[in-house]
Amino acid sequence: MPVTTTYWLEHAWLDTNVEPGVALEISADGRITAVRTGAEAPPPGAEVLRGLTVPGLANAHSHAFHRALRGTVQVGSGTFWTWREIMYSVAQNLTPDSYFALARAVYAEMALAGITAVGEFHYLHHAPGGAAYADPNAMGEALIAAAAEAGIRITLLDTAYLSAGFGEAPNHHQLRFSDGTAEAWAERVSALKPRDHALIGAAIHSVRAVPAGQLAAVAAWAQERRAPLHVHLSEQTAENDACQAAHGRTPTQLLADHGVLGPRTTGVHNTHLTDADIALLGGTTTGTCMCPTTERDLADGIGPAVRLQRAGSPLSLGSDSHAVIDLLEEARAMELNERLASRTRGHWTAAALLRAATADGHAALGWADAGTLAVGAPADFTTIALDSVRTAGPVPRLGAETAVFAATAADVRHTVVAGRHIVRDGAHQLVPDVPSALSESIAALRT
C-alpha cells in the first residue's frame, strides 16, 4: 500500500448523520488519518465507493462450526436441547485442518456481509475423547489463521467449559471442550498470543458449564489482562431453574457473587432475567449481546433489550449459530422483535441500531477504537448499495434507515479492513469462491 491511500465515499454515515462526498485518507499502517467532508468529486487516484459507507460491522458472538448446521437443524421441530445433539455430532468430526477450512469460509462469508471483526466463542479445544493435541491450542490457532486468510479481525474468546451441568462431569461429547479445571484452562489459554488482526479474550460457557467455585479464576484471568470476558447468560429457562435449585439464586446473581460482572464483561442472550438481574447488569455496565436470528431459530424468546440498555447495559449483536450471517438483519430484528413484544414502534433509531452493530460491538470485543469513521480509528468500513431492488427509492440522507430496515447482507458492495480492500464489488479478494469453500468444508464433515 502506498504511504497514503484515499477512499472517496459517495455517502458516509458519520455516527449521527449521512454526509455526501466524504474523502478518507488512510495511512500505511491501516488507520484513518483524515476525514474530509464536502468532497463533491473523487480526488485524483482515490478508490471510489458508491453507496452508503458505514464503519465495519462487528459480529460479537460466533460459533464458526455451527455454520455446518444451516438447513439441517431446520428439518422438523424440537427444542434447543434437541438442536444441541445435532451440534455435538458435527463437533465430533472437526480436526484443526477441517476447522481451519470451515472457519476460513465462514469468515469470508462474514466479510461479504460487511463484517470486519468477529468474536469467536471458542470451546472446541481438544481431540475427541478429550486428549490434548500436540499443540494444545491447535484449534484456536486454526481459527486465528482462518480469520487472517479471510481478511477480518478476530477476538478469540477462549471458553472455559468444565461440566455438563451443576455438579455433573462432562458427557462424552463435552470431553473435547473441557480442560478439567479453570486453572488448567488458564494455563493453556495463556500460551495464546495476540497478533495485529487478533485479540485473545476469555469466556465462561455458562453457569451450568463452569462450577461456581471456579468462576472467579476465569474472571481473574481476564481482569489481569484487561481482556474481554463473555458468558452465555439465561438463554434458557431450564438453566435458570437448575441454577436456583443448585445455588438458590439466578445465574446473574451467581456471576455477580463471584466477580464476573463488569464493563469488560458481556452477557450473551440475557433472555430470561428478573428485575434484579437487569439492575445488576446495568449497574455494573455489563454488556448484552443480542443474537435475534438464533434466538428466534431456537425459540429461545425475546430478551429485554430496551430495559437492559436503559439500566446501563451496552448492546451489541451477533449471528451466533449462523442460521443466517447478516448483521443488518440482527439490528433490524432487535427492533422488530421488541415491536412484536410491546406492540409499540420506534424503540431505537436506525443510528442507535447501527452503533450496536459497529462501535459498541467492537468495544465488546476489545477493539475500543474501532467501529467509527474518525481520525485515528482503524480503516475498517463497508459500503452498502443504495440502488438495489431493496434499497432503491429513499433519498440518500435516509441511508441509515434504508440500510437497517431494508438492506441485507446481499447489498454489501465493498468491505475494507485496515485500509485493504477485502471485498470489492461483491467479490471476496482473498477467497475467490466462497460458496464452494463453504460447500466443500461442510461436506467434508459428513464423510
Side-chain angles (χ1 to χ4, degrees), residues 310-362:
R310 286 176 179 165
S313 178
L315 299 179
S316 56
L317 297 163
S319 63
D320 192 0
S321 68
H322 312 314
V324 296
I325 293 177
D326 188 339
L327 261 287
L328 299 173
E329 172 62 21
E330 303 295 346
R332 172 164 58 245
M334 186 164 70
E335 166 67 25
L336 298 185
N337 283 355
E338 191 66 34
R339 292 182 186 187
L340 287 173
S342 66
R343 290 183 283 180
T344 59
R345 302 175 76 233
H347 302 278
W348 293 277
T349 63
L353 293 168
L354 275 178
R355 279 194 296 275
T358 57
D360 290 345
H362 281 94

Side-chain angles (χ1 to χ4, degrees), residues 15-70:
D15 292 339
T16 58
N17 60 292
V18 174
E19 289 281 348
V22 175
L24 298 183
E25 293 183 4
I26 312 301
S27 63
D29 64 354
R31 289 189 174 267
I32 299 171
T33 56
V35 179
R36 292 189 281 110
T37 59
E40 296 182 2
E47 293 260 16
V48 175
L49 305 184
R50 296 203 178 273
L52 174 70
T53 297
V54 303
L57 306 177
N59 189 351
H61 189 66
S62 163
H63 301 290
F65 77 92
H66 290 190
R67 175 62 177 81
L69 303 175
R70 188 183 295 180

Side-chain angles (χ1 to χ4, degrees), residues 7 51 63 103 117 153 186 215 265 380 385 407:
Y7 283 90
H63 301 290
R153 303 183 193 273
L215 292 169
T265 299
D380 299 354

Side-chain angles (χ1 to χ4, degrees), residues 177-210:
F177 310 161
S178 179
D179 291 294
T181 66
E183 290 72 20
W185 166 84
E187 181 179 358
R188 177 184 54 74
V189 72
S190 294
L192 286 163
K193 302 303 177 188
R195 344 266 146 107
D196 287 345
H197 79 291
L199 298 178
I200 309 302
I204 292 164
H205 180 273
S206 56
V207 293
R208 69 175 186 275
V210 176

Side-chain angles (χ1 to χ4, degrees), residues 255-410:
L255 294 175
D257 289 347
H258 292 275
V260 175
L261 303 184
R264 283 189 297 277
T265 299
T266 297
V268 180
H269 304 301
N270 293 359
T271 307
H272 303 286
L273 303 176
T274 66
D275 291 347
D277 291 340
I278 292 171
L280 271 173
L281 293 168
T284 55
T285 62
T286 299
T288 294
C289 179
M290 304 297 291
C291 305
T293 65
T294 292
E295 290 151 4
R296 70 192 184 197
D297 184 59
L298 296 178
D300 284 343
I302 299 170
V306 170
R307 295 177 61 205
L308 281 161
Q309 189 173 53
R310 286 176 179 165
S313 178
L315 299 179
S316 56
L317 297 163
S319 63
D320 192 0
S321 68
H322 312 314
V324 296
I325 293 177
D326 188 339
L327 261 287
L328 299 173
E329 172 62 21
E330 303 295 346
R332 172 164 58 245
M334 186 164 70
E335 166 67 25
L336 298 185
N337 283 355
E338 191 66 34
R339 292 182 186 187
L340 287 173
S342 66
R343 290 183 283 180
T344 59
R345 302 175 76 233
H347 302 278
W348 293 277
T349 63
L353 293 168
L354 275 178
R355 279 194 296 275
T358 57
D360 290 345
H362 281 94
L365 297 178
W367 301 95
D369 57 352
T372 184
L373 300 179
V375 172
D380 299 354
F381 40 90
T382 188
T383 304
I384 300 160
L386 294 179
D387 58 359
S388 76
V389 293
R390 288 166 293 278
T391 61
V395 295
R397 66 180 175 80
L398 297 177
E401 287 77 10
T402 304
V404 170
F405 290 105
T408 73

